[in-house]
Amino acid sequence: MRTKRWIRCRGVSGLVALFLCVVATRLLAGQGAAPSKERADDAAAFKEFSARVQAYVKVQQTVESSLPALKPTDLPEMITAHQQALARKIREARPRAKPGDIFTPAAREAFRHASRAALEGPRSANSRAYMKPGAADSTMLLVVNGIYPDTEPITALSPALLTAFPPLPVEVAYRVVGRTLIVIDVKSRLVVDVARLILPPAS
Amino acid sequence: MRRRGVLSLVLLAVVTLVVSASGAADFAFPLQANSVRLAAIGDMGTGEQPQIDVAQQMVKSRKAFPFEFVITLGDNIYTGSQPSDFEKAFAVPYKLLLDAGVQFYATLGNHDTTNERFYKPFNMNGANYYTYKKGHVRFFALDSNYMDPKQTAWIETQLREAGNGDWKICYFHHPLYSSGRYHGPAIDLRKVLEPLFVKYGVDVVFSGHDHVFERIRPQKGIYYFIEGASGSLRAGNLAPSAITAKGFDTDRSFMMIEFAGDDMYFQTTSRTGVAVDSGVIHRTIRPASGGVAHE
């Protein structure tokens, strides 16, 4: 009788142990899956971001091809005229452009993860320091299809950050103002898209 | 009594002038045939009187040291990107040099707009970063605002392909080493560029950004200069440190440089014409080591 109870007891303990093992294994597997899923989501979001940037660049190139080519010139008036005409025509080509057209919600999340990885923690102090001095005024008004002001300094971008972000074609570039990430059109200085609260807060 | 006081003051002024003048006169450029002669200016584009004073001093100095071109270390135009800004901050101050055929080779600072690369007098030919050769000196002008993997790969390729025969000179806005209190060194950028500079035997690096002049003691065999006071100035901003070989932060300045064979002669001159630093750097041809400076 006692032996039977002992066997039953051991059987139950074994089942409990097996159950706990299975649960623990599933939990551990889940923990590993979360970052890899996040990585996959970010990679997909960056891919979509790059495709949207390419679509913008196609518009920009089409528009620019209708203007006299900007070549090195002694006349700054020519540079200004090209910049202004290009900006006007791009605005006409995408009149309903709005925040999020290029920085989709998933892309914003992916940029947040990449920024955090590049700029957070004690080992990233140099990267943050590089972007700080002479930085752009974080109260600057930034709107899609607006002009990035030419009287404000630009924030130098940490090489670590530029390595973590998807590469951009030469027609556009990243800019950072405070915690906001921007894609600007380099020649027209148009703000192509704005994503706020991307960079980690200053520690 | 008063006459003796005045006499003492006059004597002191004369002595001061002699010391200043001797500082300038002590140093002589060799002015060798086929040497490469240039000036370096940085953070100059204010369009204000101190910039004009420096430009005028450059014209005066050019009579004794006929430099052929000028490298700019960024912040070429502070005020904006309108045609009047190009006039005020560049074309007018350097008119006499431009009229004399002196060429400028610019880099972009954090106050510059990228469209400056299309301004012909800056010789950037529409590129943010570029390379060119003068005599036996190869120059690499970089864009330190945006050191993305593409630019890093480009500089590595260019340095490698340049071989070891010529001097290798890099210049860009943000200094890898600096004792300036306001900005200080761009350590993040240093992590990316210094290994390449060491690997491919860069000899000298010029930067701006901190509004002072500073000559840095050789770091891993490479000489670094900051000339960020050719228009703007942060007086008293230099906190000389163990890496400082020489500093000047009480007035604006510019540099003159001559590459004669394996020697680089340099002099930094204030806007009043006083030589505040000078010396010679001797280069031994090698892929990854520095030369010896004689002050």
Side-chain angles (χ1 to χ4, degrees):
Chain A
M1 187 68 181
R2 192 178 283 179
T3 314
K4 269 187 175 177
R5 197 183 293 163
W6 184 83
I7 291 170
R8 201 188 303 154
C9 194
R10 287 288 297 266
V12 170
S13 307
L15 281 173
V16 169
L18 185 68
F19 174 76
L20 286 173
C21 271
V22 169
V23 168
T25 310
R26 294 290 294 264
L27 275 173
L28 283 171
Q31 274 177 1
S36 71
K37 185 180 180 306
E38 190 177 285
R39 274 197 296 274
D41 288 349
D42 288 354
F46 278 158
K47 198 175 171 190
E48 174 64 19
F49 168 83
S50 296
R52 287 174 183 237
V53 167
Q54 282 300 342
Y56 169 81
V57 167
K58 207 171 169 186
V59 171
Q60 193 260 24
Q61 286 173 339
T62 307
V63 164
E64 193 177 19
S65 66
S66 70
L67 297 170
L70 177 58
K71 291 178 182 160
T73 172
D74 287 314
L75 302 170
E77 298 84 4
M78 301 287 281
I79 301 169
T80 308
H82 186 90
Q83 178 256 314
Q84 290 173 347
L86 185 59
R88 191 178 61 247
K89 282 187 167 281
I90 294 172
R91 276 196 203 109
E92 286 168 8
R94 51 194 302 264
R96 282 179 290 279
K98 59 185 185 310
D101 283 354
I102 289 173
F103 286 116
T104 61
R108 288 202 292 273
E109 204 53 36
F111 276 105
R112 273 188 200 105
H113 296 151
S115 304
R116 216 178 294 148
L119 299 179
E120 275 191 349
R123 293 182 67 186
S124 310
N126 292 330
S127 302
R128 291 195 301 274
Y130 181 50
M131 293 174 63
K132 223 176 197 175
D137 177 5
S138 57
T139 61
M140 188 194 303
L141 182 66
L142 294 162
V143 289
V144 171
N145 271 351
I147 296 285
Y148 190 95
D150 62 358
T151 49
E152 284 296 324
I154 59 171
T155 302
L157 276 141
S158 154
L161 204 58
L162 288 170
T163 304
F165 287 175
L168 291 178
V170 292
E171 290 83 358
V172 289
Y174 293 110
R175 291 284 183 266
V176 163
V177 177
R179 295 181 62 194
T180 302
L181 181 65
I182 306 156
V183 170
I184 66 152
D185 182 290
V186 172
K187 276 189 191 162
S188 67
R189 293 210 327 275
L190 268 188
V191 174
V192 178
D193 203 357
V194 181
R196 299 184 196 282
L197 300 176
I198 299 298
L199 276 80
S203 51
Chain B
M1 189 69 180
R2 194 188 293 165
R3 192 180 293 171
R4 284 187 70 177
V6 170
L7 198 66
S8 304
L9 278 176
V10 169
L11 200 63
L12 183 68
V14 169
V15 168
T16 307
L17 273 173
V18 168
V19 169
S20 303
S22 71
D26 278 348
F27 188 78
F29 285 100
L31 299 176
Q32 274 183 20
N34 302 322
S35 67
V36 176
R37 297 168 208 157
L38 67 143
I41 52 176
D43 302 76
M44 66 286 188
T46 61
E48 292 168 2
Q49 193 56 45
Q51 180 192 10
I52 294 165
D53 293 343
V54 170
Q56 287 172 351
Q57 189 57 53
M58 289 170 79
V59 172
K60 278 186 206 164
S61 298
R62 195 167 174 268
K63 286 173 186 157
F65 178 68
F67 53 84
E68 295 140 14
F69 63 102
V70 178
I71 60 172
T72 84
L73 308 171
D75 288 356
N76 310 307
I77 300 174
Y78 277 97
T79 46
S81 62
Q82 296 305 304
S84 58
D85 297 313
F86 283 82
E87 280 294 304
K88 187 183 171 196
F90 183 75
V92 170
Y94 304 112
K95 185 178 187 308
L96 291 177
L97 293 173
L98 291 163
D99 289 348
V102 174
Q103 292 195 308
F104 287 71
Y105 292 86
T107 51
L108 300 175
N110 57 314
H111 285 269
D112 294 310
T113 62
T114 45
N115 280 346
E116 286 177 25
R117 66 204 158 116
F118 293 105
Y119 186 48
K120 217 173 193 173
F122 284 171
N123 277 300
M124 300 176 79
N125 290 317
N128 286 22
Y129 44 91
Y130 58 103
T131 177
Y132 58 98
K133 194 177 163 182
K134 298 274 185 184
H136 62 309
V137 186
R138 167 66 65 177
F139 292 88
F140 304 89
L142 305 181
D143 178 6
S144 56
N145 289 316
Y146 207 80
M147 190 56 64
D148 61 353
K150 195 159 52 176
Q151 187 179 182
T152 312
W154 177 87
I155 183 66
E156 175 154 26
T157 304
Q158 297 301 318
L159 287 171
R160 186 177 54 241
E161 289 179 354
N164 293 328
D166 297 327
W167 282 85
K168 286 181 185 166
I169 308 300
C170 289
Y171 64 101
F172 44 87
H173 189 57
H174 297 78
L176 302 193
Y177 292 91
S178 169
S179 305
R181 284 193 183 93
Y182 191 77
H183 290 310
I187 297 170
D188 201 36
L189 188 65
R190 189 199 299 170
K191 279 189 212 162
V192 174
L193 292 180
E194 189 176 55
L196 299 176
F197 292 175
V198 171
K199 184 176 179 184
Y200 296 106
V202 169
D203 299 291
V204 185
V205 176
F206 296 94
S207 296
H209 203 37
D210 267 316
H211 296 172
V212 297
F213 164 77
E214 186 178 14
R215 173 160 57 90
I216 308 286
R217 293 187 194 285
Q219 301 294 314
K220 298 184 182 171
I222 300 168
Y223 289 83
Y224 291 87
F225 291 87
I226 297 171
E227 179 48 275
S230 304
S232 294
L233 175 71
R234 283 197 186 93
N237 196 246
L238 195 67
S241 64
I243 62 165
T244 308
K246 185 80 181 180
F248 180 65
D249 65 355
T250 54
D251 201 356
R252 278 78 175 174
S253 57
F254 67 100
M255 289 188 71
M256 291 180 286
I257 301 138
E258 179 174 8
F259 291 95
D262 287 329
D263 293 318
M264 184 191 106
Y265 296 78
F266 63 90
Q267 177 176 299
T268 302
T269 303
S270 78
R271 70 165 157 167
T272 55
V274 176
V276 296
D277 188 25
S278 59
V280 188
I281 290 171
H282 180 72
R283 182 181 79 123
T284 48
I285 298 169
R286 76 288 176 261
S289 65
V292 180
H294 306 282
E295 293 170 29

